[in-house]
Amino acid sequence: MFNSFYFSTGIILLILGVSNNVDFKPKSSASSEIVICKTDDLESLPATSFTNNATNPMAVMVRKNVYSLTAAEIASIKTGIAAMKALPTTNKTSWAYQAAIHGTTLTNNLPSWNSCQHRTQFFLSWHRMYLYFFERILRAKSGNPNLTLPYWNYQTNAVLHPAYRNSAASNTLYNSTRNASINSGGALPASISTSINNALNNIPFFDFNSDLEGPHGSVHVAIGGNMGSVNRAALDPVFWLHHTNIDRLWEAWLRKCGGRQNPTSGAWATQNFTFFDENGTAVTMSGSQIVKTATQLNYRYDFPFMLPCNFVIANLERWRWITFRPLRIEGITKIENNRAKISFARSNAATFDKMIRDNKMDKILVSTTDISDKLFVELEDIKVDKLPEGTVEIYLNLPANEVPTSKSKSFAGTLDLFTATAHEGHGEKHPIMINVTTAVNALKLKPSDLKKAELTVVVRGNSVKGSEIKTNGNVQIGAINFVIQKAQK
């Protein structure tokens, strides 16, 4: 069956005159084009390559779910961390130096420090490079040539692995700064998983890259302590569990097919970043060098093997997006306890009505198979006095008698306070964008409905033994915009 499938598929490809490497690029023609989803580059490798055996130069190392690791594998990670922590901060392979590449409060400004990419097009690609070189360092320090970074799939198990919660003095996986609920076996809020699924539904890469950063930041905040701060996050061993999962989600997004493709050109593909290998040698890398994890970076995730995706018919016309910010709420909005309600009826409705008329914007076009309109809530000048022990959820037009849960049609997403606090600390004023397109579509809202839209902000605590803990977050928002990105040919 397997061989006959590939034989048949090969005949079809020859007839159509296309190959597995067709790029997802806009075309000037209005005609449809067959797009083949290329999930990975594994089919070109022999079966003997798929093993954790670093002595084989052709080996593709497998990154596993942390809950599937053996005691010996976990012990290797502990050993590697201990060896890295024993080195001075100035050693480029030390725990402190590697953490400072992401961010640090230290006054030194050594090469590559404070270079993490958040709220940029390089969010996913930069962190993949960072993980790759850190993994090589950790493997060398551990003495285990088969070591790979595990991931924490908090969508299937929202509780941190017990090995990371053991407070024994010798346990290098433990970090005492985390929220007590996490270190005691509490679970992350379910809304994080829903936000991840919403991000995975994006087809354009940069939409996925942007939307995944929201739930990513919510995981940081829910764990708390060092993880809640960009400048200290990588000091906590759970950082690497978390970001390896974010990297795995990137691969999971590709496997959903439907036209999903990585960028192939532009700054994303060519911009160089500098890291350090297991010998402390500076190495530069760009996006074009990390899109094929198996053949370029010699690792893959423990996904089941799958055949290439089915053909997808997509209308690949040349599109552009025109951005409108017709609704704006100025004045401080405070989230002092666990809830706030914000109404866009306070904004300039007359200006909004004129924009709708002038642009003939009578409906919102949302599609799961083609280019769509996009809607966002844009939060400006966020100041955080206290992070919650959980996350902050955003709802659109939540009915007064409805209990807010992430299963609601009104659920829009989670607020990325992790990135917000980083910008605040650096004196920057980048707004935080929350993609509310899924909620607008579920509620069947028209553009004219938006001027009456209401946002409900809910502070959601982590759960311990199935019960949500009580938590407060003191957050201040300076201004709020409703943003419409209209797709036009």
Side-chain angles (χ1 to χ4, degrees):
M1 177 67 71
F2 181 87
N3 290 335
S4 64
F5 173 88
Y6 270 102
F7 178 78
S8 301
T9 303
I11 294 297
I12 294 170
L13 291 175
L14 288 173
I15 294 171
L16 294 172
V18 295
S19 73
N20 278 18
N21 296 315
V22 173
D23 289 329
F24 182 78
K25 293 180 179 178
K27 305 292 183 181
S28 57
S29 170
S31 62
S32 296
E33 177 175 329
I34 293 175
V35 177
I36 299 171
C37 178
K38 179 88 161 54
T39 58
D40 51 37
D41 51 332
L42 299 179
E43 67 271 13
S44 63
L45 298 170
T48 54
S49 297
F50 304 110
T51 176
N52 274 17
N53 180 4
T55 60
N56 174 6
M58 290 297 294
V60 177
M61 310 289 280
V62 180
R63 290 180 178 174
K64 306 174 186 175
N65 189 320
V66 66
Y67 275 93
S68 70
L69 297 187
T70 65
E73 288 171 323
I74 290 175
S76 290
I77 298 172
K78 292 179 180 179
T79 299
I81 292 175
M84 291 178 70
K85 286 187 172 182
L87 298 172
T89 299
T90 53
N91 186 308
K92 295 178 176 62
T93 65
S94 71
W95 183 261
Y97 197 106
Q98 285 295 304
I101 290 176
H102 189 269
T104 183
T105 57
L106 298 174
T107 56
N108 310 52
N109 189 21
L110 299 181
S112 294
W113 280 18
N114 292 306
S115 61
C116 71
Q117 297 293 309
H118 288 284
R119 292 294 163 187
T120 76
Q121 62 178 312
F122 308 110
F123 167 63
L124 286 172
S125 58
W126 184 91
H127 282 88
R128 173 168 286 181
M129 301 173 204
Y130 186 36
L131 289 171
Y132 172 67
F133 287 108
F134 176 85
E135 182 178 60
R136 286 173 52 172
I137 293 169
L138 186 68
R139 181 182 298 143
K141 301 301 183 188
S142 74
N144 179 0
N146 301 321
L147 181 149
T148 54
L149 288 174
Y151 63 86
W152 174 20
N153 185 350
Y154 23 76
Q155 290 188 278
T156 58
N157 191 336
V159 177
L160 182 61
H161 190 281
Y164 287 74
R165 296 187 278 113
N166 183 343
S167 60
S170 61
N171 183 18
T172 57
L173 299 178
Y174 182 74
N175 188 286
S176 62
T177 70
R178 296 175 198 142
N179 285 327
S181 57
I182 295 298
N183 274 340
S184 64
L188 300 175
S191 54
I192 291 175
S193 179
T194 304
S195 294
I196 289 171
N197 289 335
N198 288 344
L200 288 168
N201 285 334
N202 283 299
I203 292 177
F205 171 83
F206 292 115
D207 289 352
F208 168 66
N209 177 83
S210 175
D211 285 0
L212 187 62
E213 194 161 0
H216 147 268
S218 294
V219 172
H220 274 277
V221 171
I223 293 169
N226 287 339
M227 275 287 283
S229 166
V230 169
N231 291 334
R232 299 190 302 273
L235 291 169
D236 188 336
V238 80
F239 173 93
W240 307 99
L241 274 184
H242 173 35
H243 270 279
T244 304
N245 191 54
I246 293 296
D247 189 68
R248 182 191 67 86
L249 287 168
W250 181 2
E251 291 300 293
W253 172 77
L254 283 170
R255 290 166 72 93
K256 287 175 69 69
C257 301
R260 291 167 176 81
Q261 295 287 327
N262 290 321
T264 57
S265 60
W268 188 93
T270 59
Q271 175 68 49
N272 283 318
F273 297 98
T274 301
F275 300 90
F276 301 92
D277 66 14
E278 60 272 30
N279 300 311
T281 302
V283 185
T284 59
M285 186 168 273
S286 67
S288 64
Q289 296 174 284
I290 54 90
V291 289
K292 298 180 179 180
T293 66
T295 55
Q296 292 179 309
L297 303 176
N298 290 97
Y299 77 85
R300 62 177 291 265
Y301 289 96
D302 54 356
F303 292 118
F305 284 99
M306 64 182 289
L307 300 176
C309 298
N310 293 330
F311 300 118
V312 176
I313 304 299
N315 292 319
L316 301 181
E317 298 175 276
R318 189 173 299 279
W319 293 82
R320 62 192 178 105
W321 281 268
I322 299 179
T323 300
F324 302 92
R325 286 177 171 80
L327 297 171
R328 179 176 176 84
I329 300 172
E330 293 186 329
I332 302 300
T333 298
K334 292 184 178 180
I335 310 168
E336 295 180 301
N337 293 308
N338 60 6
R339 187 173 295 203
K341 183 163 283 191
I342 305 157
S343 174
F344 277 95
R346 293 163 46 190
S347 61
N348 190 337
T351 301
F352 178 79
D353 289 338
K354 185 176 186 303
M355 185 211 74
I356 295 292
R357 290 194 306 271
D358 291 350
N359 294 279
K360 300 178 181 178
M361 202 181 299
D362 58 331
K363 61 183 177 179
I364 298 166
L365 300 176
V366 177
S367 170
T368 58
T369 60
D370 210 337
I371 302 300
S372 298
D373 296 340
K374 294 176 282 188
L375 299 100
F376 301 87
V377 171
E378 181 181 57
L379 309 178
E380 298 180 359
D381 299 332
I382 298 176
K383 293 182 173 56
V384 182
D385 293 326
K386 179 185 177 183
L387 289 171
E389 192 166 342
T391 190
V392 176
E393 301 170 349
I394 307 295
Y395 294 83
L396 179 64
N397 289 1
L398 181 72
N401 60 348
E402 183 178 317
V403 176
T405 76
S406 59
K407 295 179 181 179
S408 169
K409 290 181 180 180
S410 293
F411 177 72
T414 57
L415 176 56
D416 181 13
L417 294 179
F418 178 69
T419 305
T421 55
H423 291 156
E424 181 187 5
H426 291 151
E428 301 172 3
K429 293 187 177 181
H430 297 294
I432 299 298
M433 303 277 281
I434 300 173
N435 191 333
V436 299
T437 309
T438 298
V440 168
N441 189 37
L443 296 169
K444 303 185 185 311
L445 300 183
K446 302 185 296 294
S448 58
D449 297 324
L450 301 182
K451 65 182 178 182
K452 300 175 289 184
E454 285 188 338
L455 299 179
T456 301
V457 183
V458 177
V459 178
R460 180 75 63 190
N462 296 328
S463 295
V464 177
K465 296 180 179 180
S467 297
E468 181 185 340
I469 66 170
K470 292 183 179 180
T471 184
N472 293 324
N474 290 337
V475 180
Q476 180 175 295
I477 304 168
I480 305 171
N481 296 304
F482 216 119
V483 179
I484 302 173
Q485 290 187 354
K486 193 71 179 169
Q488 297 193 2
K489 298 177 185 180

